[in-house]
Amino acid sequence: MPDDKQGRDKQAANEEQRQRERALQEARDRADEPEPGEQLGDLDDALEIQDYPTTTEQLVENYGDYEVETQGGSKPVAEVLASVDNEIYDSADDVRDRIQRLINRR
């Protein structure tokens, strides 16, 4: 392509088109991912009635059988939290954040 104004304009237009296509593909990929509340299923509501502060051990005792959606399919909360030391959580949001980080790194 010649290095003139028309060539540069065409290159810029091609790059803009590639960026639009990448953005569309990323949006399609994200549409396939469950929303955070969807990943936690019934656990999301149950965490609201939990007394805080609470610990990992208490969460596993109370909600260990609840299923959450991971990249590899559904897993019980006890399995998701198995790698976590006995941490203290001050709110439902703290628990959600921790579980989300664990789910998304797998």
Side-chain angles (χ1 to χ4, degrees):
M1 195 175 304
D3 189 21
D4 58 13
K5 177 152 177 45
Q6 185 177 5
R8 288 189 299 274
D9 289 346
K10 185 171 180 162
Q11 270 186 317
N14 288 342
E15 179 58 27
E16 288 174 9
Q17 179 62 30
R18 284 191 296 275
Q19 286 178 353
R20 280 192 295 274
E21 289 170 2
R22 281 193 300 269
L24 281 172
Q25 185 59 46
E26 288 173 6
R28 284 187 205 108
D29 292 345
R30 282 191 307 274
D32 292 339
E33 296 174 0
E35 292 295 318
E38 292 172 4
Q39 282 182 297
L40 300 184
D42 293 336
L43 177 64
D44 192 51
D45 292 332
L47 292 174
E48 290 299 324
I49 60 172
Q50 172 67 38
D51 290 329
Y52 295 95
T54 192
T55 64
T56 305
E57 287 178 357
Q58 289 170 324
L59 291 170
V60 169
E61 184 178 316
N62 294 341
Y63 310 109
D65 292 336
Y66 280 68
E67 295 282 323
V68 294
E69 291 296 320
T70 67
Q71 293 174 349
S74 292
K75 291 189 179 176
V77 169
E79 187 176 330
V80 172
L81 292 174
S83 64
V84 177
D85 291 331
N86 194 27
E87 297 179 4
I88 296 174
Y89 305 92
D90 292 322
S91 69
D93 287 337
D94 287 348
V95 177
R96 285 186 195 99
D97 290 345
R98 183 64 165 135
I99 292 174
Q100 290 294 335
R101 286 194 312 268
L102 291 165
I103 289 171
N104 293 326
R105 78 169 192 204
R106 292 177 186 232

